[in-house]
Amino acid sequence: ETAYRDPDDVSARIESWESTQQLLADQTGKVVVLDLWSTACVPCIREFPNLVALQRQHPEDVVCVSFNLNYIGLPKQPPESVRTEVLPFLQQHEAFLVNIISSDTDEAIYGKLNLAAIPAVLVYDRKGKLRKRFDNEHATSVDDEFTYQKDVIPFVEQLLAEQP
């Protein structure tokens, strides 16, 4: 049983993709799950509670990182301005994770990752190597979309079972 934590303690920091990569590299020895999401993405919102549950299930061995892509680069809306949309959602889900709001625009991230759309989940092994990317690029229906229960969690557990 974990001690009660106040949802108001949930926070989100603003980071670039590059600085986030450094943060991931610093997690050697743990499996890292990086979830790219937005409050405007229905499948992202549907799957988000499973990211939180995964962190709760493996607090010592897994680091779950939520990487929010609400920032779209409008002139009068800096990355800080999306906190008003993102923080209440994170607090509602008691997302005591590493929560990052991207300082790079969503389109810039899609370009860097050659990603068509979110949701996307990147899973890194204990040595910091990207082992699998889950996205819905080849999904032809909702039934084909990846889920935490069916895809991500079993893969993470497989990585946890490997000898370090």
Side-chain angles (χ1 to χ4, degrees), residues 3-142:
Y4 171 76
R5 293 174 74 179
D6 188 332
D8 290 343
D9 291 344
V10 169
S11 63
R13 56 198 213 218
I14 295 167
E15 299 279 352
S16 68
W17 180 252
E18 280 68 30
S19 63
T20 300
Q21 295 309 298
Q22 184 54 56
L23 182 134
L24 299 179
D26 293 342
Q27 304 304 318
T28 309
K30 298 186 180 213
V31 172
V32 178
V33 177
L34 177 69
D35 189 306
L36 288 81
W37 68 285
S38 153
T39 57
C41 163
V42 173
C44 299
I45 299 304
R46 183 178 63 231
E47 286 297 318
F48 194 88
N50 295 306
L51 174 72
V52 175
L54 177 63
Q55 183 65 78
R56 281 198 189 122
Q57 198 176 354
H58 299 285
E60 305 298 319
D61 301 310
V62 176
V63 176
C64 291
V65 179
S66 88
F67 191 82
N68 177 272
L69 295 174
N70 276 36
Y71 174 57
I72 58 173
L74 296 176
K76 292 189 182 345
Q77 295 178 356
E80 290 76 13
S81 69
V82 306
R83 270 183 211 257
T84 55
E85 304 157 25
V86 174
L87 261 182
F89 176 82
L90 294 172
Q91 290 166 342
Q92 175 194 341
H93 290 282
E94 298 185 10
F96 294 105
L97 316 170
V98 178
N99 296 302
I100 297 172
I101 295 171
S102 178
S103 62
D104 300 302
T105 65
D106 58 344
E107 291 299 326
I109 299 298
Y110 294 152
K112 288 176 201 251
L113 297 179
N114 192 19
L115 183 65
I118 50 177
V121 175
L122 283 63
V123 182
Y124 299 82
D125 66 18
R126 294 178 195 267
K127 295 186 174 89
K129 179 176 184 276
L130 176 61
R131 290 286 294 272
K132 194 158 181 98
R133 173 169 126 176
F134 295 93
D135 63 46
N136 291 325
E137 196 166 330
H138 302 292
T140 53
S141 72
V142 173

